[in-house]
Amino acid sequence: MQNNEELNKSAWNSEVIKHNYWTKAVSQEQIERAKNKDLTLPFLITKPMKQEWVNELGNKLLLAAAGGGQQAPLLSAYGKDVTLIDISDLQLKQDEYVKQRDKLSFKIIQGSISDPLPFEANSFDGVINPVSINFIKSPLPFYKEVHRVLKIGGAFITAFANPALYMF
């Protein structure tokens, strides 16, 4: 029997193969706009994250469970110091593809946000967690880890899917 992390990884790898919207790498045009400080950051299906919010996050950012070739490359192109952690190897391949294609610099780590985060305390100015908290067994340990790795005064932005989305 697979545990939650194995199911999660398998499910997101499957979504990459199906070309789910959240697994499609951003275009070179989007990267160029970000380099020119015109950032449209995919965060929710109907709305990108406001550029003002990104500016308020500080420079050193952790993107938690945000693989797929979108947020990390765009934020790196925008000039942020980005570290990405995600459980899906195929999602992370999308990020690696954009990183190489557009000669970007950001860190990529394969890991689960259900586990203790592999970073020192007070390491990040901001943490971004797109809609992914729904896919872990318990969010409380993750929230404690976010608190631990954030610098004092740091910012945390997360998104949730309404559970009604999953009702029949």
Side-chain angles (χ1 to χ4, degrees):
M1 184 170 161
Q2 288 185 317
N3 68 29
N4 193 50
E5 276 98 21
E6 290 168 341
L7 288 170
N8 215 355
K9 179 181 174 183
S10 176
W12 279 105
N13 282 347
S14 176
E15 292 301 314
V16 173
I17 293 165
K18 294 180 201 173
H19 305 288
N20 174 300
Y21 172 82
W22 294 108
T23 70
K24 292 182 183 176
V26 293
S27 69
Q28 287 179 301
E29 179 184 335
Q30 289 171 287
I31 293 294
E32 284 305 312
R33 283 198 311 263
K35 285 180 179 179
N36 291 313
K37 303 303 180 204
D38 178 15
L39 180 66
T40 302
L41 188 68
F43 193 64
L44 297 169
I45 290 175
T46 58
K47 293 183 181 181
M49 184 184 294
K50 292 182 179 185
Q51 192 164 330
E52 302 84 55
W53 293 4
V54 172
N55 294 336
E56 293 293 323
L57 284 170
N59 187 55
K60 191 168 182 185
L61 303 180
L62 172 62
L63 277 67
Q70 298 177 4
Q71 290 101 350
L74 286 168
L75 287 165
S76 176
Y78 191 66
K80 301 292 184 175
D81 177 0
V82 176
T83 299
L84 166 65
I85 186 167
D86 197 285
I87 198 167
S88 166
D89 54 317
L90 293 186
Q91 285 272 75
L92 294 174
K93 281 185 180 181
Q94 298 292 78
D95 291 283
E96 186 63 39
Y97 164 74
V98 180
K99 180 181 176 180
Q100 297 303 318
R101 180 192 73 194
D102 297 314
K103 298 173 180 50
L104 300 170
S105 175
F106 57 94
K107 296 167 207 71
I108 298 174
I109 299 169
Q110 186 172 7
S112 172
I113 63 169
S114 294
D115 296 332
L117 296 173
F119 311 108
E120 305 250 339
N122 305 308
S123 296
F124 297 96
D125 300 316
V127 176
I128 298 174
N129 173 238
V131 181
S132 61
I133 202 72
N134 302 56
F135 304 108
I136 65 173
K137 188 174 183 176
S138 174
L140 187 57
F142 170 66
Y143 292 145
K144 287 180 179 180
E145 282 295 290
V146 168
H147 182 264
R148 183 183 66 78
V149 302
L150 270 175
K151 293 177 183 176
I152 293 173
F156 174 47
I157 295 179
T158 189
F160 304 86
N162 181 331
L165 288 173
Y166 302 105
M167 295 176 76
F168 295 112

